Structures are given as C-alpha cells and as structure tokens.
Amino acid sequence: MSATAAKRGQKNWPKQVEAVCVRQGLQLTPLRRRVLSILGESAAPLGAYAIIDRLSKIEGKQIAPPTVYRTLEFFAENGFLHKIESRNVFARCEHVGHAHYGALLLCETCGRSEEIEDEALDEFLKRTAARAGFALQPQMLELQGLCKSCAAAARGA
Amino acid sequence: MSATAAKRGQKNWPKQVEAVCVRQGLQLTPLRRRVLSILGESAAPLGAYAIIDRLSKIEGKQIAPPTVYRTLEFFAENGFLHKIESRNVFARCEHVGHAHYGALLLCETCGRSEEIEDEALDEFLKRTAARAGFALQPQMLELQGLCKSCAAAARGA
DNA sequence: GTCATTATGTTATAATATTGCATTTGGCAA
DNA sequence: TTGCCAAATGCAATATTATAACATAATGAC
C-alpha cells in the first residue's frame, strides 16, 4: 500500500463508517464520533488506553475505561474495527461492510497494519485445517512481518 | 489428533524437553522441572496464573508472578513452548527442536490446541503477503475453530 | 408524555505482565 | 578450596489491559 493510499483510507474511513451507520440505523453519538475521529487520524492501530488518553484531552476530563471499551466494542461488532489480539490494539477495518476474513499484515517496525482480503488464502487454510479434522471459523489472520517501506529501510541500512 | 495420541504427546513431552536440555547444556532446575510437569499434565494450554496457582500448591507457599513468567520465557525461548497471544495461555510445543512455523489449531469449545507443521502453508502465506509488498516473519499462526471431537459433538447436538 | 431500550458515567476491581533489586545457586578458574 | 562471575530465583511493588456492577441520562416507539 502506498503512503497516499494509506492517507486516503485514513481520511475516508470515518465517512464510510458514518454512511454505513446511517444506512443501518446505527446511532453515531458524539462520543462515538470522537472515538471514530481519533482512530481515523492514527497512522497505526491504537491501544485502548491510548484512546482513553486522547479522548480525555479532547473532553477536558478523565474518561473511564469502560466508556472507551464499550465504544470500541460497538465498532468491532458492526464490522468497522478489528481488535488485534497479538498486540492489544484496535485497527480500522479497511473493508467496511465486507466479509471479515483475510489477514492483517502487522509491521514489527512501524506498527502499522494493512488488511488484505483473499479468498484463496481462506480456502487454503480451511483445507489445511480440515486435514487435521479441524473446522475453522471465518477469521482475520494476524501476520507479523515488515511492511514494504520498513523492509526497504532494513535492506538499505 | 486421537485422544491416545494426545495423551502420548502429553506424557512424552517433559522427557523430550529434558533430553534436549541435556544435549544443549540447558539447566533444568527443580523449579523448571515442576513447571514442566504442570504443563505436561494439562490437557489444554494454561494461563500464567493457573500455573502460578498450581505451583504454589505444590510448593506449599505463594509463588510470585515473575518466577513463573521467567520460567515460561525460558521454555519459549528454547522452543519448548508456544505463547498463544489470542488467549494469553502457554501450550507445549509438540515439535520440540523443529522449525517454528505452521499453525496452532485452537478449539473454541474445549480450549485444546493442536500443532501442525506445514511447509506449503508457510509458502502460501509468504506469497500472499509478498503481493502486498510485505515480508513475513516465520511464525506460528493461531487459527480458531472446532477440533474434531467438538465439531462432531456440535453436529450431533 | 410515558415507557422501554440504548447509551453513558462512575467506582471498583479483575486479570495479565513487568521492573528493579536482593539473594542464592552453579560452574569454573586460580 | 576459595573466590568469583554468571545464571537463576525470591520478592515487593507497580504497570498494563480489561470487566463487573450499578447509577444516570438520552433516544425512539407508541
């Protein structure tokens, strides 16, 4: 993903979420809008407490954890956000309204996450698991590595 | 994996670990042996605090978290144990001394984890990530689903 | 407007993990 | 053997992540 594409995604994401909320009759309250904008402006996924801190600054008073966790839960349940379990952070879902499978490519160096949707991958995993008698759920993989620019930087260094 | 295979793995694991420790000159201290045996006897992966509780019972006094976390770190560093990030638990590495790639199949129902080693999967993932310019690290995937027996039970129910 | 539902506020606490420093143990060279 | 260094363990405090439980406020259906 190019830097400009990242920036576009970042800028458009709150608007896309808003559009889906309107279509589906989901309440986009002031609190949710503020959290949306915090997530929308971040280059990399954010931890809950980073969001709490930023929100507290915006609101001018200390916001308690449940407030933010509930908001994040709302976004995750409605397919706007991924929780990245391996890092305890929350990333914008770049495919608002699409199926939730594929993979998140997580950069070890810059912390950014990139989302790919790949039916072939899904199929391959299902078949691989099935050989062990395992029935896979649909899920987003979390894959660790280096993003294009960090890999280039590492090679250059 | 059959129940008997699981049981065999479980019984042999501490001995395999011990053998590798001897070969590599790693200290298998009394503390490490006790943690090894706790992990060896568990059907499913255990959380750090579950291990702390069991160890405290065995020792007859309260064991502090760092003691156990350090022991787990020792086993993980030496390839005897996997930390399952999506669940905050620790699972025996069933392929002691092998490459650490492939996948952990995690059953949502019984909590057990099964390890598969699959070079084709590794290749597939690398190629998929490479199309996004991403350089994947070798890693164990965590895949959620239902194990053979829990899937059968679910179908029967 | 009343009422039920949904959302938010607030306090407390649970669950997971680490830092920093003191003490003990094990290996090994003089 | 002794002394030393490095590795391992003990221990207290605290950091980080997340949830429970209950009160209050806002919203939408009727």
Side-chain angles (χ1 to χ4, degrees):
Chain A
M1 178 166 60
S2 71
T4 56
K7 199 151 188 182
R8 247 189 293 113
Q10 184 180 331
K11 293 291 184 199
N12 285 333
W13 182 76
K15 294 196 173 177
Q16 289 176 18
V17 171
E18 174 156 12
V20 175
C21 284
V22 169
R23 259 201 281 121
Q24 307 194 343
L26 299 168
Q27 287 191 54
L28 207 44
T29 63
L31 171 65
R32 288 173 181 167
R33 276 177 202 284
R34 284 188 284 263
V35 171
L36 203 62
S37 121
I38 289 168
L39 286 162
E41 282 166 9
S42 175
L46 291 173
Y49 280 74
I51 296 168
I52 289 168
D53 290 348
R54 296 183 193 199
L55 184 58
S56 295
K57 266 212 180 120
I58 294 173
E59 304 261 356
K61 63 174 178 183
Q62 190 58 36
I63 300 301
T67 298
V68 164
Y69 277 101
R70 282 186 299 227
T71 304
L72 294 171
E73 191 185 16
F74 166 82
F75 289 127
E77 274 175 355
N78 291 289
F80 303 134
L81 205 59
H82 297 292
K83 172 156 192 191
I84 300 177
E85 298 288 353
S86 57
R87 300 189 175 181
N88 298 321
V89 295
F90 297 84
R92 296 185 291 273
C93 174
E94 305 289 0
H95 302 137
V96 170
H98 295 211
H100 265 215
Y101 59 78
L104 295 171
L105 305 176
L106 309 177
C107 182
E108 309 247 292
T109 299
C110 67
R112 295 183 198 221
S113 113
E114 182 173 348
E115 186 174 342
I116 59 178
E117 224 173 310
D118 189 320
E119 221 165 320
L121 172 56
D122 191 54
E123 266 313 304
F124 194 99
L125 289 169
K126 269 204 286 211
R127 277 204 313 278
T128 301
R131 281 204 294 276
F134 219 86
L136 276 197
Q137 302 199 278
Q139 65 201 281
M140 290 294 307
L141 293 187
E142 296 177 15
L143 299 175
Q144 319 281 334
L146 293 181
C147 73
K148 195 169 194 166
S149 60
C150 289
R155 277 193 306 275
Chain B
M1 178 166 58
S2 72
T4 55
K7 199 152 188 182
R8 246 188 296 115
Q10 184 177 330
K11 293 289 183 199
N12 286 334
W13 183 75
K15 293 194 174 178
Q16 289 176 18
V17 171
E18 175 157 10
V20 175
C21 283
V22 169
R23 256 201 284 122
Q24 307 194 342
L26 299 169
Q27 284 192 55
L28 207 43
T29 63
L31 171 66
R32 287 174 180 167
R33 276 176 201 283
R34 285 189 283 265
V35 171
L36 203 61
S37 122
I38 289 168
L39 287 162
E41 283 166 6
S42 175
L46 292 172
Y49 280 76
I51 296 169
I52 289 168
D53 290 348
R54 295 182 194 200
L55 185 58
S56 296
K57 265 209 181 122
I58 292 172
E59 304 261 357
K61 64 173 180 182
Q62 190 58 37
I63 300 302
T67 299
V68 164
Y69 277 102
R70 280 185 301 225
T71 305
L72 295 171
E73 192 185 17
F74 166 81
F75 289 128
E77 272 175 356
N78 289 289
F80 303 135
L81 206 59
H82 298 292
K83 172 157 193 191
I84 301 177
E85 299 287 354
S86 57
R87 300 188 175 181
N88 298 321
V89 294
F90 298 84
R92 293 185 292 273
C93 174
E94 304 290 359
H95 302 138
V96 170
H98 294 211
H100 266 215
Y101 59 80
L104 295 170
L105 305 175
L106 309 176
C107 181
E108 307 248 291
T109 298
C110 68
R112 294 182 199 223
S113 114
E114 182 173 347
E115 187 173 341
I116 59 179
E117 224 175 310
D118 189 321
E119 220 165 320
L121 172 55
D122 191 55
E123 265 313 304
F124 195 102
L125 288 169
K126 269 204 285 211
R127 278 204 311 280
T128 301
R131 281 202 295 276
F134 219 86
L136 228 49
Q137 288 205 285
Q139 65 201 282
M140 291 294 307
L141 293 187
E142 297 178 16
L143 299 175
Q144 319 281 333
L146 294 180
C147 73
K148 197 170 195 166
S149 61
C150 289
R155 279 194 304 276

